[in-house]
Amino acid sequence: MGYRRVVVKLGTSVLTSGSKKLDRAHMVELARQMASLMRSGIEVVLCTSGAIAAGREHLHYPVLPDTMANKQLLAAVGQGQLILAWSQLFSIYGLQVGQLLLTRADLQDRERYLNARDTLNALLAHNIIPIINENDAVATNEIKVGDNDNLSARAALLCDADLLILLTDQKGLFDADPRTHPNAQLIKQVVNIDDSLRLLAGGSVSGLGTGGMATKLEAADVARRAGIEVVIASGHHPDVIAKVAARESVGTHFSAIENPLESRKQWILAGPASQGKLIVDAGASVAVVANGRSLLSKGIVDIEGHFERGATLLIVNQTGKILAKGISRYCANDLTKISGKHSDEIESLLGYNYGDAVVHRNDMVILDN
């Protein structure tokens, strides 16, 4: 069965081919490949980096202090140049584009998340290629490592894609750093992302982009939990987009989890940033991870953070291992009073009761592999 909807993420190193400016000759080749997919009936969403690089180029490479304000300046100038370039290149193939600039806030709020999803689906329904980027000109906390890798995974969830292609300056994920180990072997297939695999991932070395292999693993993990296949490959491999879409062996392929999360749990995973932690005992760890149970107050040994009812929290064991992510039915102050207590004591301790579960299993995503 072929792919129905594909998200293509292009890193800055791919768009510039390692230079200081956009490589428009290569960009038109990538546009050609994406247009070819569209003609074959596969819908395409483009998540593009490169705004800051485009801004530097347009302003003739000004020497600026490395401050957040100056990065935002470059992004504000470059975003228009970047979307103009893509619009011109896709027009060669008779395609229109529509721009979506997103921030973390657009994904944290459930209503804004759904509105962004509706916009994506509307563009695709009219054969318009959505072009997504982080709104770096205003998102002061988002210009950092991995923003567009993780944004592309969330875009894949937003539009219910079945394939995410992360194109970079590397051929894929290797069993050692290929820059220092000439005999490093490409890992062609990944079924499970674990700590040993994360240790293989390195950071950005080009100085042009903001993402490294570690952030691509994070993005792959988010997408595959939602039932989306992921491929990390070189953006300069000949006809790479078409070959990946045709299921040819290119780069590193990450298998999708067979039982993907339903829509609400996808939003929990992809949207809200965690506002605190619940540290749980061994019994609660087994109940939550192995038995698919809700988290009860009795199993909580400590809490971290100041949060209100409805906050998204990480559930961790006593060694610090992350087990799950979920929405709390109680605020931090309440939990300090009921942690370690039986559920039937909650009302007497608080004077009210929002339910036996602190985090209900329907509001929880298991993260422990």
Side-chain angles (χ1 to χ4, degrees):
M1 182 178 177
Y3 296 112
R4 173 186 53 84
R5 186 172 289 177
V6 175
V7 174
V8 178
K9 187 268 177 179
L10 301 174
T12 300
S13 60
V14 174
L15 298 176
T16 61
S17 299
S19 70
K20 292 184 178 181
K21 63 180 182 179
L22 297 179
D23 182 354
R24 286 167 176 78
H26 188 55
M27 288 172 68
V28 75
E29 165 58 16
L30 294 168
R32 181 195 65 77
Q33 294 181 45
M34 287 182 273
S36 179
L37 289 194
M38 294 284 285
R39 286 195 298 271
S40 71
I42 300 174
E43 295 175 329
V44 176
V45 175
L46 172 57
C47 188
T48 179
S49 300
I52 291 177
R56 284 198 181 99
E57 177 186 353
H58 188 70
L59 296 176
H60 306 292
Y61 312 104
V63 178
L64 300 171
D66 188 22
T67 65
M68 182 64 69
N70 285 330
K71 289 180 180 179
Q72 291 173 313
L73 177 157
L74 294 170
V77 172
Q79 195 61 250
Q81 298 302 311
L82 184 63
I83 193 67
L84 175 62
W86 282 122
S87 179
Q88 292 171 338
L89 296 176
F90 278 111
S91 70
I92 296 172
Y93 304 100
L95 290 170
Q96 300 293 326
V97 302
Q99 185 179 43
L100 278 79
L101 295 177
L102 299 176
T103 66
R104 170 72 71 173
D106 297 310
L107 304 174
Q108 287 179 337
D109 181 83
R110 177 67 172 165
E111 184 175 358
R112 289 167 71 174
Y113 178 92
L114 294 175
N115 285 340
R117 186 185 68 179
D118 291 344
T119 302
L120 273 172
N121 287 329
L123 289 167
L124 291 168
H126 289 84
N127 205 41
I128 298 171
I129 295 181
I131 297 184
I132 298 174
N133 199 354
E134 187 91 47
N135 195 354
D136 290 337
V138 298
T140 57
N141 293 323
E142 275 72 26
I143 303 180
K144 57 184 180 181
V145 171
D147 53 6
N148 275 349
D149 290 323
N150 286 286
L151 186 64
S152 68
R154 284 148 176 80
L157 269 65
L158 271 174
C159 69
D160 192 28
D162 41 22
L163 173 64
L164 169 62
I165 305 175
L166 300 171
L167 296 182
T168 181
D169 55 0
Q170 297 293 317
K171 293 181 179 179
L173 180 66
F174 286 80
D175 60 5
D177 189 339
R179 296 182 294 258
T180 56
H181 295 76
N183 295 324
Q185 297 295 309
L186 178 69
I187 300 173
K188 294 185 177 181
Q189 184 71 39
V190 173
V191 177
N192 186 39
I193 297 175
D194 56 20
D195 290 341
S196 63
L197 194 67
R198 293 185 181 95
L199 287 175
L200 297 176
S204 174
V205 295
S206 67
L208 294 169
T210 55
M213 194 60 71
T215 65
K216 290 170 178 59
L217 279 188
E218 293 173 8
D221 203 25
V222 168
R224 61 190 291 273
R225 290 178 185 276
I228 301 166
E229 294 178 43
V230 182
V231 173
I232 300 175
S234 168
H236 287 83
H237 185 95
D239 221 18
V240 59
I241 296 173
K243 289 179 178 178
V244 171
R247 300 184 187 274
E248 294 186 27
S249 180
V250 179
T252 302
H253 178 271
F254 296 79
S255 302
I257 291 178
E258 292 184 359
N259 299 309
L261 303 170
E262 62 267 24
S263 177
R264 177 170 172 77
K265 290 192 176 183
Q266 289 185 14
W267 171 71
I268 293 171
L269 178 66
S274 301
Q275 299 175 47
K277 293 181 181 178
L278 302 177
I279 295 89
V280 301
D281 61 24
S285 298
V286 172
V288 167
V289 176
N291 300 330
R293 306 293 296 274
S294 300
L295 176 62
L296 305 181
S297 54
K298 178 65 177 175
I300 300 174
V301 297
D302 199 6
I303 66 169
E304 293 182 8
H306 300 282
F307 49 85
E308 298 301 319
R309 179 172 183 254
T312 300
L313 308 175
L314 292 177
I315 300 170
V316 304
N317 66 16
Q318 288 174 283
T319 66
K321 184 176 184 179
I322 297 174
L323 306 176
K325 182 179 180 182
I327 297 174
S328 176
R329 292 184 171 184
Y330 294 89
C331 69
N333 288 337
D334 288 348
L335 288 175
T336 59
K337 300 174 184 177
I338 64 175
S339 293
K341 308 296 184 181
H342 286 286
S343 298
D344 56 13
E345 299 180 74
I346 292 177
E347 188 160 1
S348 63
L349 290 168
L350 298 180
Y352 49 85
N353 190 330
Y354 291 125
D356 291 346
V358 172
V359 181
H360 195 275
R361 65 174 181 253
N362 291 343
D363 294 328
M364 185 191 306
V365 178
I366 303 301
L367 299 177
D368 181 18
N369 290 317

